[in-house]
């Protein structure tokens, strides 16, 4: 059974890289070859990238023509867009649409053979996965910045969710941390 890994860049105060809070600029301004090579290697571990429509539209407009070190992985690894309104996903190779119930679609994807699934962005989509309880691992990339504003990584939940740290990787030259957590009951 494949795992669903939620990968996300956040500020030290837990705000997402979505929107206009400056975290995306911090992320793009960091020059750390070791972290970049590690990140690209982690991308290649994915069997598929999962995302919502908004993230798909932004990424489909960027990655196919990009020369960024992550571009080859982003373009070649299969992608699944969760949308009930998107009719085609022809703008980005290796992309298909999942238009049914999100929890059922995730269960089907997890049951398929192959490498783990990585939810690749979009706060609204990520929040839906957290609320559904389908996330098997949280891979947080903590950036050395504080915003004081923006969308929180975690939505409001009915009850606390305990997590267990399973891996911590530090990148001293940039100050980035990769923190990997799993639900404590798994």
């Amino acid at each position: 059974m494949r795992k669903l890994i939620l990968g996300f860049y956040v500020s030290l105060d837990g705000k997402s890289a979505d929107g206009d809070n400056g975290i995306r600029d911090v992320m793009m301004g960091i020059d750390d070859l070791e972290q970049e090579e590690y990140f690209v290697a982690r991308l290649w571990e994915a069997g598929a990238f999962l995302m919502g429509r908004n993230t798909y539209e932004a990424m489909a407009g960027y990655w196919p023509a990009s020369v960024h070190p992550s571009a080859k992985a982003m373009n070649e690894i299969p992608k699944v867009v969760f949308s009930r309104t998107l009719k085609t996903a022809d703008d980005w190779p290796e992309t298909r649409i999942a238009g049914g119930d999100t929890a059922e679609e995730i269960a089907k994807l997890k049951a398929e053979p192959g490498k783990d699934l990585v939810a690749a962005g979009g706060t609204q989509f990520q929040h839906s996965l957290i609320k559904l309880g389908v996330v098997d691992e949280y891979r947080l990339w903590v950036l050395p910045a504080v915003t004081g504003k923006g969308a929180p990584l975690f939505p409001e939940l009915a009850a606390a969710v305990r997590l267990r740290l399973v891996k911590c990787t530090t990148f001293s030259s940039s100050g980035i941390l990769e923190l990997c957590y799993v639900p404590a009951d798994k």
Side-chain angles (χ1 to χ4, degrees):
M1 185 88 139
R2 302 199 285 182
K3 293 187 306 188
L4 175 57
I5 299 166
L6 184 144
F8 215 66
Y9 278 94
V10 294
S11 62
L12 283 172
D13 56 343
K15 304 300 183 186
S16 78
D18 281 357
D20 194 19
N21 63 3
I23 286 298
R24 190 175 307 274
D25 294 336
V26 170
M27 183 174 67
M28 299 307 285
I30 292 174
D31 187 20
D32 183 338
L33 184 59
E34 177 190 12
Q35 187 273 332
E36 192 168 285
E37 288 174 355
Y38 178 87
F39 181 79
V40 171
R42 292 290 259 173
L43 287 177
W44 284 110
E45 294 173 4
F49 295 123
L50 312 183
M51 64 196 77
R53 181 187 53 81
N54 291 336
T55 298
Y56 164 76
E57 289 174 345
M59 290 186 168
Y62 176 78
W63 288 114
S66 176
V67 295
H68 189 276
S70 300
K72 185 170 175 58
M74 293 303 294
N75 289 318
E76 291 182 12
I77 294 171
K79 291 155 285 291
V80 181
V81 181
F82 286 75
S83 174
R84 291 186 177 87
T85 59
L86 197 63
K87 301 298 179 215
T88 66
D90 300 334
D91 299 345
W92 198 6
E94 297 294 325
T95 305
R96 66 182 169 113
I97 300 169
D101 177 79
T102 302
E104 290 175 13
E105 296 279 2
I106 296 288
K108 288 181 206 173
L109 289 167
K110 283 183 172 185
E112 292 176 2
K115 298 179 188 176
D116 291 334
L117 309 165
V118 176
T123 303
Q124 184 178 3
F125 179 63
Q126 305 263 5
H127 283 181
S128 71
L129 298 177
I130 293 167
K131 285 180 179 179
L132 287 170
V134 296
V135 177
D136 300 298
E137 180 180 316
Y138 295 88
R139 190 174 294 164
L140 308 180
W141 294 87
V142 182
L143 300 172
V146 189
T147 68
K149 63 180 181 176
L153 168 61
F154 290 93
E156 287 192 28
L157 300 169
V161 176
R162 285 200 46 99
L163 302 174
R164 181 172 43 91
L165 182 68
V166 293
K167 183 178 181 183
C168 176
T169 306
T170 60
F171 299 93
S172 300
S173 66
S174 63
I176 295 175
L177 299 173
E178 180 202 35
L179 302 174
C180 298
Y181 292 93
V182 297
D185 59 353
K186 290 190 179 185

